[in-house]
Structures are given as structure tokens and as C-alpha cells.
């Protein structure tokens, strides 16, 4: 938030993406070719509409494959479906970038955007994962999110797994 308030989010995002591209190349040199890099993108940066061009310039500058990169967006970005926003999504998909909904279930959880936007994966917020073993409600919510995402052919990632029991239960789901 302080970076956004100072109006520095665009150069900061460029720097983060550049560092992610550099790191990916380093991993690739060390035979770790299939590692996907995910970067959270601020909704304020996303709506500036320069993101696809920024990504392309950085990826091309490092000779990176575009499909190694995943953008994580919070649900707030999906709240408004404007022609400009849809154009940004279209350009990102043309680049081969995957798009993930970060912290799913904690924001503007409208199921409409799952249908309207080109989303590749859902990241279940740690809020629902932390008590999955002791809270039937959390377990039911996680089970429902997984079933919905899978039926929409989206990848599901659970954030905040801290125990082998949580991992086992999530794998079963």
C-alpha cells in the first residue's frame, strides 16, 4: 500500500518482474526448467493497461519463455468487467501468461468472474486451510472450491499448508 500511495507501483512492478525473469533464467541454467514463477500484481498497476507490454519487453529482454510466468490477482481486480480490463486480460493470454486468483474466497467472491475472465488457477486463501482439520465449515468450503475449480478446468492451489495432515486431507479432496 505505501508504494501504491506514493505512485511508485509501476516501476516497482517492473523491477519485481525483471527479478523474476532473471531468477527463472538462473533456474533454467541449473536444469530446473519447469518452475513457474508467480508474481502478485497490484490492482492499481493492472488497470494502468501497460502490464502486457511491460511483461513482453522484460521477457524478450531476457529471452524468457512467456509461459513460465503466472500473474496473481486478488478478487478486487475482477469486480469490474470493463472493455479496457478485458483487453488487458486478452493481451496477457496472448502472451501465454497464466492468471491466478489469489486469496480466493476472502474478497469480492462473485462467481460471475470465474466464467467471464480467462482464469487458469485459484489459490485458496490460508484462512480456510489453517483450520481445515478442526473446522467442518472450513473443510466444506475448501471441498466446494476444489470441486468448482476442477469442474471449470482450473488448477487449485492451497496456500498455508503447515502440516502433513493438512496436506494429506487436501490431496484427498
Amino acid at each position: 500500500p505505501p508504494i501504491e500511495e506514493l505512485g511508485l507501483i509501476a516501476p516497482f512492478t517492473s523491477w519485481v518482474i525483471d527479478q523474476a525473469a532473471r531468477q527463472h533464467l538462473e533456474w533454467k541454467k541449473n536444469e530446473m526448467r519447469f518452475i513457474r514463477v508467480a508474481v502478485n500484481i497490484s490492482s492499481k498497476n493492472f488497470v494502468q493497461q501497460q502490464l502486457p507490454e511491460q511483461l513482453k519487453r522484460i521477457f524478450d529482454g531476457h529471452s524468457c519463455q512467456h509461459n513460465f510466468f503466472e500473474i496473481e490477482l486478488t478478487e478486487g481486480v475482477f469486480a469490474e468487467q470493463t472493455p479496457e480490463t478485458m483487453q488487458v486480460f486478452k493481451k496477457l493470454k496472448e502472451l501465454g501468461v497464466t492468471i491466478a486468483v489469489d486469496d480466493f474466497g476472502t474478497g469480492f467472491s462473485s462467481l460471475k468472474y470465474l466464467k467471464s475472465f480467462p482464469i487458469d488457477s485459484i489459490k485458496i486463501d490460508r484462512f480456510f486451510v489453517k483450520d481445515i482439520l478442526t473446522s467442518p465449515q472450513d473443510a466444506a468450503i475448501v471441498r466446494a472450491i476444489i470441486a468448482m475449480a476442477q469442474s471449470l478446468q482450473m488448477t487449485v492451489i492451497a496456500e498455508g499448508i503447515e502440516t502433513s495432515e493438512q496436506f494429506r486431507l487436501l490431496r484427498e479432496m
Side-chain angles (χ1 to χ4, degrees), residues 12-135:
F12 181 75
T13 300
S14 271
W15 179 82
V16 169
I17 294 167
D18 185 71
Q19 293 302 306
R22 287 175 193 269
Q23 183 61 59
H24 183 264
L25 287 176
E26 196 62 37
W27 286 330
K28 192 174 176 181
K29 287 178 194 173
N30 292 310
E31 307 280 330
M32 295 187 219
R33 291 189 176 99
F34 302 107
I35 295 178
R36 182 179 306 272
V37 177
V39 174
N40 288 59
I41 302 293
S42 160
S43 60
K44 289 184 180 177
N45 190 237
F46 187 83
V47 297
Q48 291 175 352
Q49 299 182 17
Q50 301 161 2
L51 185 62
E53 292 79 17
Q54 204 176 28
L55 288 170
K56 183 169 179 9
R57 187 174 56 254
I58 291 170
F59 294 163
D60 291 349
H62 291 294
S63 301
C64 288
Q65 295 173 310
H66 301 187
N67 62 350
F68 83 91
F69 197 77
E70 179 175 271
I71 291 179
E72 295 183 6
L73 301 165
T74 57
E75 294 171 311
V77 172
F78 302 98
E80 248 185 83
Q81 185 176 347
T82 66
E84 294 81 16
T85 306
M86 294 309 289
Q87 189 64 26
V88 173
F89 276 105
K90 182 180 180 221
K91 288 179 181 178
L92 289 171
K93 295 311 292 179
E94 287 171 358
L95 275 177
V97 171
T98 60
I99 298 170
V101 180
D102 194 25
D103 303 331
F104 184 80
T106 61
F108 298 97
S109 296
S110 170
L111 300 179
K112 174 184 162 194
Y113 66 77
L114 294 178
K115 173 184 160 185
S116 304
F117 292 91
I119 298 167
D120 299 295
S121 65
I122 291 176
K123 296 192 174 188
I124 302 171
D125 189 75
R126 67 180 59 247
F127 174 79
F128 300 110
V129 173
K130 69 179 173 126
D131 295 325
I132 197 169
L133 297 171
T134 58
S135 168

